[in-house]
Amino acid sequence: MAPIHPEVTYAERCNATEPEKNIIYFTINTPDIKGEPKLEIKPTEISFAAKAGDASKGVPEKEYAFDLQLYDEIIPEETKKVITSRAVLLILRKKEPRSEYWLRLTKEKPNRNWVKTDFSKWVDEDEQEGAEDPTAGMDMAGMGGMGGGMPGMEGMGGMGGMGGSMPGMGGMGGMDFSKMMEQMGGMGGMGGGMPDFGAGEDDEGDSDEDRVPEEEEDIEEISTSGAADKGKAKVSGLDDVE
């Protein structure tokens, strides 16, 4: 079975005077992942490999893998991570504080076709001030002291015991998986259809105002008919007495 490239989505933040705000939100979309993925993070390279699926449950088995050369340097030991059965979310710390974004994510030009912009997290350079933190509510575990590699990935199947927070990223409490999945949107996906605003209307498009007079006429007709029936009943009763 030949490995396939998982979809990778990313978004950036930059700041020339506050180094901790120079980061990349890097998401690896890996549905049905199982076991511990192999992840190696170096200053200019990220390598990843994982298995997914479960034949016993009818979920096709597959292997994910990639080796990505980054456009510029990052600080591996400053990396933060969250791992779920559907995705691996990393926050990469850029080495050089700058007031502008990288020209692209990869050294290769252009980005590979499986590397896409994460529009759910992206903001323009001049709109960063006051922008919402897309990782708020997530418990991002740090990789401090692991150097350029990452031999083990703790936390698969649960987030318990994963402490740490990223400087400048605000407080991060317990993991809010529903919010994270909403933000990933399938990890960069812009899918979803428009809601059906016409639900509940009839084919002719009559409004409530159009229907009310008809209902009032029906009520009047029923009331008149009922009175007539009562009148007949009284006359009939008299006939019986005679």
Side-chain angles (χ1 to χ4, degrees), residues 27 48-49 51 65 108 130 160 165 168 170 182-183 195 200 216 230 238:
T27 303
F48 177 84
K51 292 184 178 181
E108 185 179 53
S165 61
E182 179 182 349
Q183 290 174 338
E216 290 177 350
K230 290 180 180 179
L238 291 174

Side-chain angles (χ1 to χ4, degrees), residues 97-115:
R98 295 178 181 175
S99 58
E100 67 279 343
Y101 291 161
W102 288 359
L103 293 180
R104 55 187 177 275
L105 179 66
T106 65
K107 185 175 182 180
E108 185 179 53
K109 182 180 180 179
N111 287 332
R112 300 183 185 183
N113 59 8
W114 43 273
V115 176

